[in-house]
Amino acid sequence: MRKSDKKIENTIRIVLTEVCERLKGQVVGFEWLTHKVNFNNVNQTLTITFMFDSFASLRSAKAQLKTDEMAKEAANALAKQNIHLKNFAKQCHFDTDERNG
């Protein structure tokens, strides 16, 4: 990993950690998030996965349009650091621990 990649990764990590902590207090059932990125094209390849505790919590969040708000909040926070998601609706995914557990 190049020095510039480490700097970008650190920025992404800090921003998404702040977003995660805010969202945990606002969205019932939301637990954590993670991300993946290819540093050769950050704006098009950065994907964020928001994890919920159950299918029921995720369905409820989607029904209340909370997932749209969560994606927008992450995209806006990243944009303030000059990281612009090409298509945040497609780059933000929502899943549950139930599926992985």
Side-chain angles (χ1 to χ4, degrees):
M1 185 181 284
R2 298 174 299 203
K3 187 175 182 178
S4 60
D5 296 346
K6 288 181 182 181
K7 185 175 180 179
I8 292 167
E9 174 64 23
N10 193 47
T11 299
I12 293 169
R13 183 186 53 76
I14 290 169
V15 168
L16 292 181
T17 297
E18 291 171 358
V19 168
C20 181
E21 292 305 314
R22 277 195 305 274
L23 292 175
K24 283 196 294 187
Q26 298 172 0
V27 181
V28 175
F30 171 66
E31 293 187 327
W32 54 279
L33 60 77
T34 188
H35 72 281
K36 292 182 185 178
V37 66
N38 177 332
F39 294 106
N40 293 323
N41 193 346
V42 174
N43 295 336
Q44 289 188 344
T45 65
L46 176 61
T47 59
I48 305 166
T49 302
F50 297 83
M51 297 298 293
F52 284 79
D53 62 354
S54 67
F55 291 121
S57 294
L58 178 54
R59 274 193 304 273
S60 177
K62 284 183 177 182
Q64 297 174 38
L65 303 178
K66 293 289 187 183
T67 53
D68 293 342
E69 293 172 15
M70 294 168 76
K72 288 177 186 174
E73 184 166 341
N76 290 339
L78 289 164
K80 290 177 183 175
Q81 297 299 319
N82 205 29
I83 299 170
H84 303 279
L85 299 183
K86 180 83 171 164
N87 185 342
F88 71 85
K90 290 186 178 181
Q91 289 174 260
C92 293
H93 306 278
F94 299 87
D95 205 347
T96 70
D97 284 335
E98 285 182 336
R99 179 169 306 176
N100 300 318

